[in-house]
Amino acid sequence: SPGEPRALFALPSARGPLPAPRWPLECEVIKETIEHIEWDPPEPEPFCQPTGLEQAPAALGEEQGTLVYNLSPAPPGSCFTRARVGGAPGPLSSPAAALAGPEDTTLLFESRFESGNLQKAVKVGPYEYVLTLRPDLYTAKHTQWFYFRVQNTRRDPLYRFTIANLAKPKSLYGEGMRPLLYSQRDAQSRGVGWRRVGADVRYYRGGGGEEPAAFRLSWTARFPHDGDTCFFAHSYPYTYSDLQRYLRALAGDPVRSRYCAVRALCRSLAGNTVYLLTITGPGGTQAPKRAVVLSARAHPGESGGSWAMRGCLDFLLSDRPDARLLRRLFVFKVVPMLNPDGVVVGNSRCSLAGRDPNRAYGTGLCGSFPGVWHLRAMVERVLAKREVVLYCDFHGHSRKNNVFMYGCDGGGAGAGPRLRQRVFPLMLSKNAPDKFSFPSCKFKVQKSKEGTGRVVMWRLGVSNSYTMEVAFGGSTLGGRSSHFTVEDLKSLGYHLCDTLLDFCDPDPAKFQQCLAEVDALLRQRLGRELGSSSSWSDISPSELESSTSGSDSSVSD
């Protein structure tokens, strides 16, 4: 709140240590700093060919296995009470089984670090493990994100890992997506970072049904070295400390810090700072500049959103002519990590309130969802002074490949607003044709989505209000059939900025051309001619949804 002394908010300065993340008291946290190098594979990483064998591998016999890692779960029905730097006080427990000697090839598991998620590991064969993820804190569900460390690796054997309690019935793992592996030794000696690994990747319904989440992901992999420290992850991690390192570098850069002010939007439930960046440059005109509002990581497991946001910030803060022009024309209000607590503890979807923040924009619950509440209040303040030309919230999608957007077509309006809604995503698909799929975009406002950022901002008066969905897998467009790399994800940020210039170009030619194209596409989709443009208002948003985009509209966001 405005009355609070600024010192209460930790802002990264160019000097001094980073503000340490605050954890709920129940969470044990190891002392080591976990940091990964950025790397881009020299060749595309293709999807693996689904074997067509969707049935389970041979029964795993967890009951007969040996428990080799076990974190005590939060008691059912518990809720968040207090947080501190470093999490649980006192000495750490030892969740990993001790090795019997140098010949013992048991892997040593660990996940008590930022964004880490692994609850339990059972060894069911010499090189075979069944893993259980920790549900989002203070809930019994939302198991999707995983990120954990293994030590005591051996180079020759083929290992099999099976995550036994995933929540979603359908996943891109069933369509050729592979998990990510990071080898510390490869990073140090060869400069190689996160890469896709895994053969025989299967996603299937588990048996037993004693878990509320009964889907399983199984893959085999070899480690590159003996005695290495490796990590597995669902997507390229981007932690709260990664963001703070980025902001500290920004604060220490005399050029970039001139046109980027870093402030605290608010504090999270655990007391972590939710950052607000204001980016703009000397303006050309007298009229108030228009605003652009961008946000990411409402859902902590959707780390690709942070990499796209990174690309966006890198572009906006660069000295490229287009970046200078964007800063002259607009004021950018950016919240790069809306749910830092969820990111810190390794949640998939929720904040420490145990609920999905991207269903809470319509509520007045500042105490439960401070990030969302203050973002909405900030947009209302901005709208009182200037037009908001675009709102975009960055998310990740687990069931459809490529990148696409959800917009807001409330139906009932005339042709103008309904067609204009679709212009920005169409332009973006032209600027990123090998990644962005316009036919996958959806514009229907569903009942279940009323509390999302995109719908609430649209109802506040931001007519171009979108969720950008970035697949966890990759692209099937432009001759590609390969996973997204970090560079791919960052490039989405550049393309978004580029598209904004096309969208707001004083010469209306591009806009008009896209408007005509959208009109033709929708008429084609309806399969009939419209008499006059006013009759658009008789057509429901459902009728305009692409028949090719399947029935996935009820997911994500």
Side-chain angles (χ1 to χ4, degrees):
S1 65
E4 279 192 85
R6 288 298 301 282
L8 285 181
F9 291 116
L11 292 172
S13 69
R15 294 169 303 285
L18 288 175
R22 294 172 58 87
W23 293 72
L25 285 180
E26 302 92 310
C27 296
E28 288 193 350
V29 187
I30 61 172
K31 296 284 177 276
E32 291 152 83
T33 303
I34 309 282
E35 212 179 326
H36 303 294
I37 63 166
E38 264 180 65
W39 175 74
D40 242 54
E43 297 294 320
E45 297 178 299
F47 297 131
C48 62
Q49 289 309 307
T51 53
L53 301 167
E54 282 301 292
Q55 77 272 28
L60 294 159
E62 286 125 280
E63 306 71 37
Q64 287 80 50
T66 313
L67 188 63
V68 294
Y69 183 75
N70 193 23
L71 283 183
S72 48
S78 62
C79 60
F80 172 70
T81 51
R82 284 175 54 225
R84 68 190 281 276
V85 169
L92 290 175
S93 66
S94 303
L99 295 178
E103 314 72 49
D104 189 342
T105 58
T106 302
L107 290 176
L108 296 171
F109 290 85
E110 182 59 87
S111 63
R112 294 171 297 170
F113 47 81
E114 255 189 276
S115 295
N117 189 320
L118 179 68
Q119 181 90 52
K120 193 167 90 171
V122 176
K123 185 176 182 179
V124 295
Y127 302 103
E128 188 158 352
Y129 296 86
V130 176
L131 312 176
T132 304
L133 302 183
R134 196 213 67 221
D136 281 6
L137 230 46
Y138 318 118
T139 80
K141 45 186 202 278
H142 309 296
T143 38
Q144 174 172 290
W145 169 257
F146 60 88
Y147 173 32
F148 57 88
R149 184 178 81 182
V150 291
Q151 289 174 313
N152 197 35
T153 59
R154 296 292 187 276
R155 201 185 74 183
D156 294 325
L158 185 66
Y159 290 79
R160 179 177 282 282
F161 299 94
T162 302
I163 296 175
N165 66 328
L166 290 161
K168 297 191 174 183
K170 187 169 175 282
S171 163
L172 287 170
Y173 286 115
E175 295 178 33
M177 175 173 150
R178 303 158 80 199
L180 285 160
L181 171 80
Y182 186 95
S183 154
Q184 210 134 286
R185 190 170 297 177
D186 278 350
Q188 284 158 357
S189 64
R190 303 197 298 132
V192 169
W194 288 102
R195 68 191 111 167
R196 301 284 170 175
V197 297
D200 196 16
V201 178
R202 306 182 191 193
Y203 195 88
Y204 57 97
R205 182 181 281 284
E210 68 293 334
E211 296 277 355
F215 296 90
R216 295 187 164 214
L217 166 65
S218 187
W219 73 95
T220 60
R222 291 183 202 277
F223 292 110
H225 305 284
D226 287 334
D228 197 1
T229 293
C230 291
F231 296 82
F232 282 108
H234 178 51
S235 176
Y236 306 100
Y238 193 97
T239 64
Y240 185 53
S241 291
D242 287 330
L243 173 66
Q244 301 211 86
R245 280 187 276 269
Y246 184 78
L247 295 180
R248 178 165 66 179
L250 199 57
D253 183 325
V255 178
R256 291 187 305 164
S257 56
R258 274 215 308 271
Y259 28 78
C260 177
V262 180
R263 296 280 177 269
L265 177 70
C266 61
R267 280 186 301 176
S268 68
L269 291 184
N272 290 308
T273 304
V274 179
Y275 294 103
L276 168 65
L277 281 57
T278 302
I279 299 170
T280 194
T285 57
Q286 270 64 58
K289 289 186 186 185
R290 291 180 290 177
V292 174
V293 179
L294 306 173
S295 58
R297 290 308 271 287
H299 295 149
E302 297 169 8
S303 59
S306 278
W307 289 107
M309 179 63 84
R310 241 296 285 284
C312 214
L313 293 172
D314 284 350
F315 186 93
L316 288 174
L317 296 168
S318 72
D319 60 357
R320 293 161 71 152
D322 279 355
R324 286 203 295 272
L325 178 57
L326 283 163
R327 294 192 298 265
R328 199 174 82 223
L329 294 175
F330 302 105
V331 177
F332 291 85
K333 294 283 189 183
V334 182
V335 181
M337 197 171 281
L338 260 172
N339 180 2
D341 296 350
V343 173
V344 166
V345 302
N347 277 1
S348 286
R349 204 164 175 90
C350 298
S351 69
L352 295 183
R355 307 221 309 279
D356 179 346
N358 203 33
R359 296 293 180 275
Y361 281 86
T363 70
L365 297 173
C366 176
S368 299
F369 299 101
V372 155
W373 191 92
H374 281 93
L375 173 58
R376 177 187 167 151
M378 183 267 289
V379 171
E380 287 176 318
R381 285 196 304 277
V382 170
L383 280 166
K385 288 199 291 231
R386 51 181 98 234
E387 181 195 345
V388 175
V389 72
L390 175 78
Y391 165 78
C392 186
D393 189 22
F394 297 25
H395 283 253
H397 205 286
S398 66
R399 312 185 208 197
K400 270 202 298 193
N401 273 315
N402 307 314
V403 182
F404 47 95
M405 281 178 154
Y406 293 144
C408 301
D409 175 350
R418 302 189 71 179
L419 295 177
R420 281 199 290 271
Q421 247 309 301
R422 292 164 165 83
V423 169
F424 190 89
L426 182 65
M427 285 182 162
L428 186 48
S429 73
K430 291 176 184 298
N431 286 331
D434 62 334
K435 299 178 195 74
F436 193 97
S437 164
F438 184 71
S440 295
C441 295
K442 290 186 171 291
F443 299 88
K444 187 179 168 188
V445 178
Q446 292 168 292
K447 253 292 168 261
S448 63
K449 301 293 185 75
E450 280 293 340
T452 59
R454 117 186 109 96
V455 175
V456 168
M457 299 304 176
W458 174 67
R459 296 212 185 277
L460 288 178
V462 182
S463 52
N464 299 295
S465 182
Y466 304 102
T467 303
M468 182 160 76
E469 296 279 355
V470 183
F472 283 106
S475 168
T476 59
L477 305 170
R480 280 185 63 160
S481 187
S482 60
H483 293 85
F484 286 139
T485 63
V486 164
E487 194 45 53
D488 282 327
L489 299 174
K490 290 200 294 197
S491 75
L492 293 169
Y494 318 148
H495 291 310
L496 187 95
C497 294
D498 232 16
T499 304
L500 196 54
L501 286 176
D502 291 339
F503 188 69
C504 297
D505 194 326
D507 174 358
K510 277 184 189 167
F511 192 95
Q512 293 303 334
Q513 182 204 330
C514 285
L515 208 53
E517 207 172 309
V518 165
D519 186 71
L521 274 169
L522 292 184
R523 287 169 193 273
Q524 190 185 337
R525 196 172 285 172
L526 281 169
R528 63 174 196 269
E529 280 299 313
L530 288 169
S532 66
S533 67
S534 63
S535 56
W536 275 116
S537 57
D538 308 330
I539 290 156
S540 76
S542 305
E543 285 182 82
L544 295 179
E545 297 294 48
S546 160
S547 53
T548 59
S549 58
S551 56
D552 285 348
S553 62
S554 61
V555 297
S556 204
D557 227 2

